[in-house]
Each structure stands twice: as C-alpha cells, then as structure tokens.
Amino acid sequence: MHDGKLFVAGGNLGQVVQPFRGLNYAYIFDPTIADENTKWGYLGSPGSPNRMSAGRWYPTVTLLPDRRLLVMSGYITESLPDPYNRTPEMWNPQTGQWIRRTAQQAKMPFDALYPGAHVVPRGQYQGQVFYSMPMLQSYVFDPNFDGNPNGSTYYWKAVPNTARSFFRDGGCSILLPIKLSPSTEAKVLILGGMQDDPAFGTAVATNTAEIIDLGAANPVWQSAASMIMERTHANAIILPDGKILVTGGKQISFREGAVTFAEMYDPDTNTWTLLPPSSYTRMYHSASILLPDATVWVGGGDTLGGSPSSDFIEIYKPGYLFDPPDPQVRPNILSISTTQITYNSAFTIEVNYPVDSAILISLGATSHAFDQSQRAIYLKLSSLPPNGTNPYSVTTPANANIAPPGYYLFFVLRPKSASQSGMNRIPSVANFLRLA
C-alpha cells in the first residue's frame, strides 16, 4: 500500500482441496503496531468486516496512482460453470470503502488466474492497467471510468493487434525499468509459461519471450530473445542494474522437471546469460525478492507430490558484487537530504565514489511467478560542486503514473568503467524512500 502496510485480498476458503473456493475477505497488515496479536486486521471492524463482492482464489492486486487498490480475477468456486469473479473492485484506503464496477461492460473479459497487470506509465494508455498474460489477448482496464464519459470512454479495451498464439500459464510478466525522458518507452516483457501439448499428452513449458512497447503509437507484441532453458512458474526480478534475473521453475507437468539453473536477461542487448544453479529445486509456490543489499532472496517451492522443497532459504549474489572482488569499490550513500520524497521535485545525496545512475525499485510482492508490485524507475542525476565527497541532485518521478505512491528501494550505481570487466554497473546498498 502507499503507506507501507500490506494489503491481502482473497485466498482459499476452507480446506485446500478441489474444488477450490475463494475467500471474500481482505486484510491489512500494519507493521507499526506493537501488539503482535493485532498487526493483522479485516477491512472494516472485526464484528462487521467489509467484504468483497464474492470470493477470490488467486486474484491479482494492483496499486493505482491514486492510492486505490484494484482487485481482479480469482475463482469464486472452481466447480461453477463460470468460476471467475469478474467484478473489478477497488479498495479506497482514504474512505475505507469498496468501489465496485458492476455494469455488464465492466466484467473481466478473459479467463485467467493471477493475470499479469501493470499500471501503464506513458503513452495513450497511461494510468490504465495493462493485463498482459496468460491469456492470448491483451487488455487495458480504465479504473477511472464509472460509466459516464469523463475523459474516458470504456472500462475495458482489447489492445488492437496484440493477440498471441501461446497461452502462457505460469509465465512471468515484467514492466521493464522505466527510462528517463525523452524516452517514451513503456515496455512489458513476458516469458516462459506452459500450455497443453497433445504430442506429449501433458503441459510443456516454453523458453520463448515477447515484448510490447505500450508507449508506441501502435503497440504490438514482438518476439524477444528466447531463454536458454524452458520454464514455467519461475520468478523474474529486476536488479538495480536494470537486468532481469530469472530463477527456478519447471519444465513439465505440475511439479516435475525442475530447473535449477538461473539466467539473466539484458534488455539493452536482448541477450540471455546462463548462471549457476541453485542448491534446491524452486518450482510451484517458489518466490524471489530483491533485498536492499542488491542480493536476491530465493525460497519456497514444491517438489513431486507437493511436499515443500525444503525450509532452506538461498541468497543469490549477482556478478556485479564480484567485479572487482574488493567491496571497498562499492558506492556508499553517505548522506541523503530526505527519505520522504514528492513528485517532480529534487533531493540531494552525497556518495563516496562518482556514480552515473540512480534507480527506484518498488518492494516485492511475488506469488505464482508474478510480482504484483514490481516496478523500477531510473532517476535523473545532476552533479553538484565537490565538497570532499561526490554530491548529486536527484530528480524524482514526474507523476504517479510513472511511479505509484509507496515505499521504494533507492540505489545509485557506478559506471561500467569502474568494474574490472568493464561490463557491470556496481550498485550501492539501498536506502528506503517513501514517495507521496
């Protein structure tokens, strides 16, 4: 949420057995409450919870630019002829009320659980929510349209010329790091996933990837370089240097064919690099999260038969931390003028070494191959007169379409020339900033 609380919508009602049934409650976790017994709470009061319209098993939650939380999809009951909750609902934390779009035209037009969703930062769909996959047709949803023409004219729009041929069940969807103006790019990368293959008699994973630029006049999916390994139910994490780390996943069936090798995608060169394997299988129900020290937490995952892979957590240390191996060359933010930043403004920092870039990365919230809050935004750096350190002025995002309000990790990075290989930008440890 915009204030650092955790919002959880839906879940499993009753025993975890088929047919699955969705829970119609939503909850908030407040880490600032001292009493461990009251950190979690229903929306509304304990005696009168403010429920959703119906249950939601496996929904997607999207933080909107105006602080509302959009909840989409999820099963009401798996055994129903139409099991999906198709009513878009938005929780308004400022009024403490649900906003429901109940018109027939507002009903979710696709069949998908945990659909990939991203607030569009730029272009003709800016401020709207782009639903990328797993379905074959991509859509945008306008959260501000209420049925009356007010600058908007639709609830849903099928984005023209964006039909695909591969249903990416368990694939990953990532809004690539948002570049500085004058760039107009708003690129979404989808990768992996699986669909039934009659030739094999089971679901088979793919290594293919696709990119769409929503900032273009006529967005269209285009093939990106394929991953080295086929995988579904992997995890894709944006790193401070703008590259995408993909970990875990599986290649066949529900919990078979584990992929332990990680790989890295470079959006600038459209290339993949194979990385060392993890020590444990990380398939269905695994998760990866970027940490403030620029490493990645990896955990969870089922094995054949559904048993947990292990209780062990692994930490992946990207190559930029070893190039060169001397940790003293890593940039260190010595001071920062504020940790409470606003839009289209500036703050100042002092760094021990010269840096050439800065980036905000939102805090992770990953489940079932999709991080529902992941977002990265490059920030403009301007050098200030030296004063014994390396001072900079940092310009914040222009508006909430580019960076919805909330908490972010703030990294600065040294230029590639500072690395031994000349190939890596070395990040600092992050500061937590709140954008409002």
Side-chain angles (χ1 to χ4, degrees):
M1 297 180 67
H2 72 282
D3 56 5
K5 297 173 184 174
L6 178 66
F7 179 88
V8 178
N12 189 82
L13 176 63
Q15 292 183 318
V16 187
V17 294
Q18 289 182 292
F20 298 118
R21 295 179 297 159
L23 193 66
N24 65 351
Y25 291 110
Y27 307 85
I28 288 179
F29 176 80
D30 187 347
T32 65
I33 296 176
D35 183 356
E36 295 292 335
N37 296 316
T38 58
K39 286 181 180 287
W40 283 101
Y42 292 105
L43 295 186
S45 63
S48 180
N50 200 335
R51 307 182 188 206
M52 294 182 289
S53 59
R56 293 188 185 271
W57 187 84
Y58 285 20
T60 290
V61 179
T62 306
L63 176 62
L64 299 176
D66 61 3
R67 303 182 178 184
R68 292 179 297 170
L69 295 123
L70 172 63
V71 186
M72 194 71 71
S73 189
Y75 281 162
I76 299 173
T77 299
E78 186 183 19
S79 58
L80 293 174
D82 182 1
Y84 293 95
N85 187 334
R86 298 187 181 276
T87 301
E89 296 182 85
M90 291 169 280
W91 175 254
N92 188 333
Q94 292 150 304
T95 64
Q97 297 295 324
W98 286 104
I99 301 168
R100 297 185 174 95
R101 302 301 191 215
T102 57
Q104 185 61 37
Q105 298 93 330
K107 300 296 184 183
M108 184 181 74
F110 52 81
D111 296 351
L113 297 171
Y114 285 134
H118 310 279
V119 174
V120 182
R122 295 175 173 141
Q124 60 189 303
Y125 303 119
Q126 64 178 315
Q128 299 178 36
V129 181
F130 176 69
Y131 287 89
S132 59
M133 51 145 283
M135 58 282 183
L136 301 180
Q137 173 64 54
S138 302
Y139 294 86
V140 287
F141 175 78
D142 189 339
N144 297 314
F145 184 62
D146 60 5
N148 298 306
N150 56 357
S152 302
T153 58
Y154 55 81
Y155 297 105
W156 290 96
K157 181 179 181 179
V159 180
N161 303 312
T162 60
R164 298 180 293 103
S165 61
F166 191 90
F167 186 88
R168 294 183 179 273
D169 184 30
C172 299
S173 183
I174 310 101
L175 176 67
L176 292 178
I178 301 167
K179 297 180 179 179
L180 293 169
S181 178
S183 172
T184 61
E185 290 181 356
K187 290 185 175 181
V188 173
L189 169 72
I190 56 176
L191 57 88
M194 65 180 179
Q195 67 179 7
D196 289 334
D197 189 328
F200 288 90
T202 186
V204 177
T206 182
N207 64 344
T208 60
E210 298 169 83
I211 287 181
I212 189 170
D213 183 2
L214 297 168
N218 298 294
V220 61
W221 287 108
Q222 296 181 324
S223 294
S226 294
M227 292 184 290
I228 298 165
M229 311 285 290
E230 295 88 358
R231 62 180 88 211
T232 184
H233 281 109
N235 291 283
I237 300 298
I238 301 174
L239 298 178
D241 63 357
K243 296 178 182 178
I244 312 300
L245 173 69
V246 177
T247 63
K250 55 189 173 63
Q251 293 185 327
I252 57 174
S253 188
F254 196 47
R255 295 180 173 94
E256 297 181 74
V259 182
T260 56
F261 282 91
E263 49 191 300
M264 188 93 71
Y265 178 70
D266 186 338
D268 292 335
T269 61
N270 189 33
T271 56
W272 290 92
T273 302
L274 191 65
L275 302 173
S278 59
S279 299
Y280 302 95
T281 59
R282 305 292 183 185
M283 296 192 287
Y284 191 57
H285 292 140
S286 63
S288 295
I289 298 289
L290 177 67
L291 299 179
D293 65 355
T295 65
V296 178
W297 181 102
V298 181
D302 296 348
T303 58
L304 184 63
S307 60
S309 66
S310 76
D311 294 328
F312 293 103
I313 292 168
E314 296 177 271
I315 301 295
Y316 176 75
K317 295 183 177 181
Y320 49 54
L321 297 181
F322 305 96
D323 186 16
D326 182 359
Q328 300 304 316
V329 304
R330 192 171 184 183
N332 180 25
I333 300 174
L334 302 174
S335 68
I336 187 166
S337 61
T338 181
T339 58
Q340 307 287 319
I341 59 175
T342 57
Y343 294 100
N344 199 28
S345 62
F347 62 97
T348 59
I349 59 172
E350 293 183 315
V351 188
N352 60 338
Y353 287 110
V355 295
D356 72 345
S357 57
I359 193 168
L360 288 178
I361 301 181
S362 57
L363 308 187
T366 186
S367 181
H368 292 75
F370 177 53
D371 189 323
Q372 299 185 20
S373 74
Q374 184 166 235
R375 202 173 187 90
I377 307 99
Y378 288 110
L379 302 181
K380 180 181 178 181
L381 278 179
S382 301
S383 298
L384 298 175
N387 60 357
T389 64
N390 297 277
Y392 296 89
S393 174
V394 186
T395 303
T396 62
N399 57 62
N401 296 330
I402 294 174
Y407 281 86
Y408 289 82
L409 298 174
F410 170 67
F411 296 92
V412 295
L413 298 98
R414 298 197 71 189
K416 288 183 178 180
S417 59
S419 68
Q420 191 171 38
S421 68
M423 299 295 291
N424 286 309
R425 291 188 295 144
I426 304 169
S428 66
V429 173
N431 284 62
F432 284 88
L433 301 185
R434 182 180 179 182
L435 175 61

